[in-house]
Amino acid sequence: MWSVWDGDGITDLARKNYGSHQLAALPTDLGTGLIAYTARLPRTRPYYTTMLFRCGDERPWISVDLSEVAKGRDPVTDLTQLLSFARKRYGELHRCTPKPN
């Protein structure tokens, strides 16, 4: 999911809802956000990430949630890479250069 609306509100809500389950903060070069694991059942998609960044004059946010991560994989590394790819693709599609918030 992504939007250019209310990125600060979405980021604050994510911290409120998932902050106590945070696995990692995002690398500062990606933007502002978090990666969390709620330990809920897979159908509730317990892996949750959100990222707020800048692209031109816009401040878009991207959120990704997963039901599970393959055994032996590092969810923080995988979700960080996924967000990095998503941010880069956003920039290509919207003809802007993604930067940290």
PDB file of all heavy atoms in Angstrom, residues 9-35:
ATOM      1  N   GLY A   9       0.991  11.093   9.920  1.00  0.00           N
ATOM      2  CA  GLY A   9      -0.051  10.418  10.683  1.00  0.00           C
ATOM      3  C   GLY A   9       0.065   8.902  10.586  1.00  0.00           C
ATOM      4  O   GLY A   9      -0.082   8.191  11.583  1.00  0.00           O
ATOM      5  N   ILE A  10       0.356   8.409   9.390  1.00  0.00           N
ATOM      6  CA  ILE A  10       0.516   6.969   9.188  1.00  0.00           C
ATOM      7  C   ILE A  10       1.723   6.459   9.972  1.00  0.00           C
ATOM      8  O   ILE A  10       1.669   5.415  10.625  1.00  0.00           O
ATOM      9  CB  ILE A  10       0.656   6.635   7.687  1.00  0.00           C
ATOM     10  CG1 ILE A  10      -0.651   6.922   6.957  1.00  0.00           C
ATOM     11  CG2 ILE A  10       1.117   5.200   7.466  1.00  0.00           C
ATOM     12  CD1 ILE A  10      -1.840   6.105   7.400  1.00  0.00           C
ATOM     13  N   THR A  11       2.815   7.207   9.930  1.00  0.00           N
ATOM     14  CA  THR A  11       4.024   6.812  10.654  1.00  0.00           C
ATOM     15  C   THR A  11       3.776   6.818  12.161  1.00  0.00           C
ATOM     16  O   THR A  11       4.176   5.890  12.871  1.00  0.00           O
ATOM     17  CB  THR A  11       5.195   7.737  10.284  1.00  0.00           C
ATOM     18  OG1 THR A  11       5.384   7.688   8.863  1.00  0.00           O
ATOM     19  CG2 THR A  11       6.480   7.313  10.966  1.00  0.00           C
ATOM     20  N   ASP A  12       3.100   7.854  12.654  1.00  0.00           N
ATOM     21  CA  ASP A  12       2.777   7.918  14.089  1.00  0.00           C
ATOM     22  C   ASP A  12       1.861   6.759  14.504  1.00  0.00           C
ATOM     23  O   ASP A  12       2.059   6.153  15.559  1.00  0.00           O
ATOM     24  CB  ASP A  12       2.115   9.252  14.440  1.00  0.00           C
ATOM     25  CG  ASP A  12       3.069  10.427  14.359  1.00  0.00           C
ATOM     26  OD1 ASP A  12       4.304  10.202  14.340  1.00  0.00           O
ATOM     27  OD2 ASP A  12       2.576  11.574  14.311  1.00  0.00           O
ATOM     28  N   LEU A  13       0.862   6.451  13.680  1.00  0.00           N
ATOM     29  CA  LEU A  13      -0.052   5.354  13.970  1.00  0.00           C
ATOM     30  C   LEU A  13       0.692   4.013  13.981  1.00  0.00           C
ATOM     31  O   LEU A  13       0.440   3.159  14.838  1.00  0.00           O
ATOM     32  CB  LEU A  13      -1.193   5.328  12.954  1.00  0.00           C
ATOM     33  CG  LEU A  13      -2.285   4.292  13.199  1.00  0.00           C
ATOM     34  CD1 LEU A  13      -2.979   4.529  14.543  1.00  0.00           C
ATOM     35  CD2 LEU A  13      -3.291   4.334  12.057  1.00  0.00           C
ATOM     36  N   ALA A  14       1.605   3.831  13.040  1.00  0.00           N
ATOM     37  CA  ALA A  14       2.401   2.594  13.005  1.00  0.00           C
ATOM     38  C   ALA A  14       3.232   2.451  14.274  1.00  0.00           C
ATOM     39  O   ALA A  14       3.308   1.368  14.855  1.00  0.00           O
ATOM     40  CB  ALA A  14       3.304   2.586  11.775  1.00  0.00           C
ATOM     41  N   ARG A  15       3.842   3.541  14.716  1.00  0.00           N
ATOM     42  CA  ARG A  15       4.622   3.477  15.960  1.00  0.00           C
ATOM     43  C   ARG A  15       3.726   3.142  17.154  1.00  0.00           C
ATOM     44  O   ARG A  15       4.107   2.373  18.033  1.00  0.00           O
ATOM     45  CB  ARG A  15       5.335   4.804  16.189  1.00  0.00           C
ATOM     46  CG  ARG A  15       6.552   4.958  15.332  1.00  0.00           C
ATOM     47  CD  ARG A  15       7.390   6.149  15.786  1.00  0.00           C
ATOM     48  NE  ARG A  15       8.459   6.360  14.853  1.00  0.00           N
ATOM     49  CZ  ARG A  15       8.527   7.366  13.997  1.00  0.00           C
ATOM     50  NH1 ARG A  15       7.591   8.282  13.980  1.00  0.00           N
ATOM     51  NH2 ARG A  15       9.549   7.481  13.167  1.00  0.00           N
ATOM     52  N   LYS A  16       2.531   3.730  17.177  1.00  0.00           N
ATOM     53  CA  LYS A  16       1.595   3.470  18.271  1.00  0.00           C
ATOM     54  C   LYS A  16       1.150   2.003  18.262  1.00  0.00           C
ATOM     55  O   LYS A  16       1.114   1.342  19.306  1.00  0.00           O
ATOM     56  CB  LYS A  16       0.378   4.387  18.139  1.00  0.00           C
ATOM     57  CG  LYS A  16      -0.665   4.170  19.196  1.00  0.00           C
ATOM     58  CD  LYS A  16      -1.847   5.090  18.983  1.00  0.00           C
ATOM     59  CE  LYS A  16      -2.970   4.764  19.953  1.00  0.00           C
ATOM     60  NZ  LYS A  16      -4.182   5.514  19.667  1.00  0.00           N
ATOM     61  N   ASN A  17       0.796   1.495  17.086  1.00  0.00           N
ATOM     62  CA  ASN A  17       0.267   0.141  16.975  1.00  0.00           C
ATOM     63  C   ASN A  17       1.336  -0.949  17.022  1.00  0.00           C
ATOM     64  O   ASN A  17       1.070  -2.049  17.510  1.00  0.00           O
ATOM     65  CB  ASN A  17      -0.535  -0.020  15.683  1.00  0.00           C
ATOM     66  CG  ASN A  17      -1.830   0.738  15.719  1.00  0.00           C
ATOM     67  OD1 ASN A  17      -2.347   1.072  16.784  1.00  0.00           O
ATOM     68  ND2 ASN A  17      -2.370   1.036  14.553  1.00  0.00           N
ATOM     69  N   TYR A  18       2.515  -0.672  16.473  1.00  0.00           N
ATOM     70  CA  TYR A  18       3.527  -1.719  16.307  1.00  0.00           C
ATOM     71  C   TYR A  18       4.853  -1.425  16.998  1.00  0.00           C
ATOM     72  O   TYR A  18       5.748  -2.261  16.972  1.00  0.00           O
ATOM     73  CB  TYR A  18       3.790  -1.956  14.818  1.00  0.00           C
ATOM     74  CG  TYR A  18       2.559  -2.347  14.051  1.00  0.00           C
ATOM     75  CD1 TYR A  18       1.938  -1.453  13.183  1.00  0.00           C
ATOM     76  CD2 TYR A  18       1.991  -3.606  14.214  1.00  0.00           C
ATOM     77  CE1 TYR A  18       0.792  -1.817  12.486  1.00  0.00           C
ATOM     78  CE2 TYR A  18       0.846  -3.971  13.521  1.00  0.00           C
ATOM     79  CZ  TYR A  18       0.254  -3.065  12.663  1.00  0.00           C
ATOM     80  OH  TYR A  18      -0.870  -3.424  11.983  1.00  0.00           O
ATOM     81  N   GLY A  19       4.994  -0.263  17.607  1.00  0.00           N
ATOM     82  CA  GLY A  19       6.266   0.125  18.214  1.00  0.00           C
ATOM     83  C   GLY A  19       6.785  -0.859  19.238  1.00  0.00           C
ATOM     84  O   GLY A  19       7.988  -1.119  19.311  1.00  0.00           O
ATOM     85  N   SER A  20       5.891  -1.445  20.018  1.00  0.00           N
ATOM     86  CA  SER A  20       6.339  -2.405  21.036  1.00  0.00           C
ATOM     87  C   SER A  20       6.769  -3.733  20.420  1.00  0.00           C
ATOM     88  O   SER A  20       7.363  -4.573  21.092  1.00  0.00           O
ATOM     89  CB  SER A  20       5.243  -2.642  22.073  1.00  0.00           C
ATOM     90  OG  SER A  20       4.117  -3.239  21.470  1.00  0.00           O
ATOM     91  N   HIS A  21       6.485  -3.930  19.145  1.00  0.00           N
ATOM     92  CA  HIS A  21       6.861  -5.150  18.428  1.00  0.00           C
ATOM     93  C   HIS A  21       7.962  -4.887  17.399  1.00  0.00           C
ATOM     94  O   HIS A  21       8.219  -5.731  16.553  1.00  0.00           O
ATOM     95  CB  HIS A  21       5.649  -5.737  17.701  1.00  0.00           C
ATOM     96  CG  HIS A  21       4.486  -6.024  18.585  1.00  0.00           C
ATOM     97  ND1 HIS A  21       4.458  -7.078  19.467  1.00  0.00           N
ATOM     98  CD2 HIS A  21       3.312  -5.364  18.752  1.00  0.00           C
ATOM     99  CE1 HIS A  21       3.316  -7.075  20.119  1.00  0.00           C
ATOM    100  NE2 HIS A  21       2.599  -6.045  19.706  1.00  0.00           N
ATOM    101  N   GLN A  22       8.579  -3.739  17.480  1.00  0.00           N
ATOM    102  CA  GLN A  22       9.556  -3.326  16.469  1.00  0.00           C
ATOM    103  C   GLN A  22      10.767  -4.254  16.466  1.00  0.00           C
ATOM    104  O   GLN A  22      11.371  -4.507  17.500  1.00  0.00           O
ATOM    105  CB  GLN A  22       9.994  -1.886  16.727  1.00  0.00           C
ATOM    106  CG  GLN A  22      10.928  -1.362  15.670  1.00  0.00           C
ATOM    107  CD  GLN A  22      11.144   0.135  15.790  1.00  0.00           C
ATOM    108  OE1 GLN A  22      10.237   0.869  16.132  1.00  0.00           O
ATOM    109  NE2 GLN A  22      12.342   0.568  15.504  1.00  0.00           N
ATOM    110  N   LEU A  23      11.108  -4.767  15.287  1.00  0.00           N
ATOM    111  CA  LEU A  23      12.325  -5.546  15.095  1.00  0.00           C
ATOM    112  C   LEU A  23      13.493  -4.626  14.783  1.00  0.00           C
ATOM    113  O   LEU A  23      14.619  -4.892  15.178  1.00  0.00           O
ATOM    114  CB  LEU A  23      12.157  -6.544  13.946  1.00  0.00           C
ATOM    115  CG  LEU A  23      11.160  -7.668  14.138  1.00  0.00           C
ATOM    116  CD1 LEU A  23      11.025  -8.466  12.848  1.00  0.00           C
ATOM    117  CD2 LEU A  23      11.594  -8.575  15.279  1.00  0.00           C
ATOM    118  N   ALA A  24      13.200  -3.545  14.036  1.00  0.00           N
ATOM    119  CA  ALA A  24      14.260  -2.633  13.628  1.00  0.00           C
ATOM    120  C   ALA A  24      13.660  -1.325  13.121  1.00  0.00           C
ATOM    121  O   ALA A  24      12.543  -1.302  12.619  1.00  0.00           O
ATOM    122  CB  ALA A  24      15.100  -3.251  12.508  1.00  0.00           C
ATOM    123  N   ALA A  25      14.428  -0.262  13.272  1.00  0.00           N
ATOM    124  CA  ALA A  25      14.104   0.990  12.600  1.00  0.00           C
ATOM    125  C   ALA A  25      14.624   0.866  11.168  1.00  0.00           C
ATOM    126  O   ALA A  25      15.495   0.038  10.888  1.00  0.00           O
ATOM    127  CB  ALA A  25      14.773   2.164  13.306  1.00  0.00           C
ATOM    128  N   LEU A  26      14.103   1.663  10.287  1.00  0.00           N
ATOM    129  CA  LEU A  26      14.628   1.648   8.925  1.00  0.00           C
ATOM    130  C   LEU A  26      15.994   2.314   8.895  1.00  0.00           C
ATOM    131  O   LEU A  26      16.260   3.230   9.677  1.00  0.00           O
ATOM    132  CB  LEU A  26      13.697   2.417   7.991  1.00  0.00           C
ATOM    133  CG  LEU A  26      12.371   1.784   7.679  1.00  0.00           C
ATOM    134  CD1 LEU A  26      11.601   2.657   6.702  1.00  0.00           C
ATOM    135  CD2 LEU A  26      12.526   0.409   7.099  1.00  0.00           C
ATOM    136  N   PRO A  27      16.845   1.885   7.968  1.00  0.00           N
ATOM    137  CA  PRO A  27      18.094   2.616   7.782  1.00  0.00           C
ATOM    138  C   PRO A  27      17.767   4.071   7.417  1.00  0.00           C
ATOM    139  O   PRO A  27      16.827   4.326   6.658  1.00  0.00           O
ATOM    140  CB  PRO A  27      18.755   1.897   6.610  1.00  0.00           C
ATOM    141  CG  PRO A  27      18.148   0.528   6.599  1.00  0.00           C
ATOM    142  CD  PRO A  27      16.747   0.719   7.095  1.00  0.00           C
ATOM    143  N   THR A  28      18.508   5.015   7.968  1.00  0.00           N
ATOM    144  CA  THR A  28      18.190   6.431   7.770  1.00  0.00           C
ATOM    145  C   THR A  28      18.238   6.851   6.309  1.00  0.00           C
ATOM    146  O   THR A  28      17.565   7.805   5.929  1.00  0.00           O
ATOM    147  CB  THR A  28      19.126   7.326   8.600  1.00  0.00           C
ATOM    148  OG1 THR A  28      20.486   7.021   8.263  1.00  0.00           O
ATOM    149  CG2 THR A  28      18.916   7.121  10.086  1.00  0.00           C
ATOM    150  N   ASP A  29      18.995   6.148   5.478  1.00  0.00           N
ATOM    151  CA  ASP A  29      19.048   6.515   4.060  1.00  0.00           C
ATOM    152  C   ASP A  29      17.765   6.146   3.313  1.00  0.00           C
ATOM    153  O   ASP A  29      17.535   6.620   2.208  1.00  0.00           O
ATOM    154  CB  ASP A  29      20.271   5.912   3.379  1.00  0.00           C
ATOM    155  CG  ASP A  29      20.253   4.388   3.342  1.00  0.00           C
ATOM    156  OD1 ASP A  29      19.803   3.777   4.333  1.00  0.00           O
ATOM    157  OD2 ASP A  29      20.691   3.827   2.327  1.00  0.00           O
ATOM    158  N   LEU A  30      16.897   5.322   3.908  1.00  0.00           N
ATOM    159  CA  LEU A  30      15.613   4.988   3.280  1.00  0.00           C
ATOM    160  C   LEU A  30      14.528   5.988   3.630  1.00  0.00           C
ATOM    161  O   LEU A  30      13.680   6.306   2.813  1.00  0.00           O
ATOM    162  CB  LEU A  30      15.143   3.598   3.714  1.00  0.00           C
ATOM    163  CG  LEU A  30      15.675   2.410   2.944  1.00  0.00           C
ATOM    164  CD1 LEU A  30      15.056   1.121   3.459  1.00  0.00           C
ATOM    165  CD2 LEU A  30      15.430   2.544   1.467  1.00  0.00           C
ATOM    166  N   GLY A  31      14.522   6.443   4.866  1.00  0.00           N
ATOM    167  CA  GLY A  31      13.473   7.347   5.320  1.00  0.00           C
ATOM    168  C   GLY A  31      13.135   7.048   6.765  1.00  0.00           C
ATOM    169  O   GLY A  31      13.931   6.468   7.492  1.00  0.00           O
ATOM    170  N   THR A  32      11.934   7.412   7.164  1.00  0.00           N
ATOM    171  CA  THR A  32      11.466   7.209   8.526  1.00  0.00           C
ATOM    172  C   THR A  32      10.500   6.039   8.538  1.00  0.00           C
ATOM    173  O   THR A  32       9.635   5.948   7.668  1.00  0.00           O
ATOM    174  CB  THR A  32      10.724   8.471   9.021  1.00  0.00           C
ATOM    175  OG1 THR A  32      11.589   9.585   8.878  1.00  0.00           O
ATOM    176  CG2 THR A  32      10.303   8.326  10.460  1.00  0.00           C
ATOM    177  N   GLY A  33      10.618   5.163   9.508  1.00  0.00           N
ATOM    178  CA  GLY A  33       9.683   4.054   9.590  1.00  0.00           C
ATOM    179  C   GLY A  33      10.175   2.950  10.486  1.00  0.00           C
ATOM    180  O   GLY A  33      11.139   3.129  11.241  1.00  0.00           O
ATOM    181  N   LEU A  34       9.521   1.801  10.367  1.00  0.00           N
ATOM    182  CA  LEU A  34       9.874   0.675  11.226  1.00  0.00           C
ATOM    183  C   LEU A  34       9.555  -0.639  10.551  1.00  0.00           C
ATOM    184  O   LEU A  34       8.822  -0.703   9.572  1.00  0.00           O
ATOM    185  CB  LEU A  34       9.151   0.775  12.566  1.00  0.00           C
ATOM    186  CG  LEU A  34       7.618   0.770  12.579  1.00  0.00           C
ATOM    187  CD1 LEU A  34       7.038  -0.622  12.521  1.00  0.00           C
ATOM    188  CD2 LEU A  34       7.135   1.458  13.838  1.00  0.00           C
ATOM    189  N   ILE A  35      10.147  -1.687  11.119  1.00  0.00           N
ATOM    190  CA  ILE A  35       9.846  -3.064  10.743  1.00  0.00           C
ATOM    191  C   ILE A  35       9.437  -3.759  12.032  1.00  0.00           C
ATOM    192  O   ILE A  35      10.150  -3.692  13.032  1.00  0.00           O
ATOM    193  CB  ILE A  35      11.067  -3.752  10.115  1.00  0.00           C
ATOM    194  CG1 ILE A  35      11.465  -3.046   8.825  1.00  0.00           C
ATOM    195  CG2 ILE A  35      10.776  -5.232   9.858  1.00  0.00           C
ATOM    196  CD1 ILE A  35      12.772  -3.519   8.238  1.00  0.00           C
TER     197      ILE A  35
END
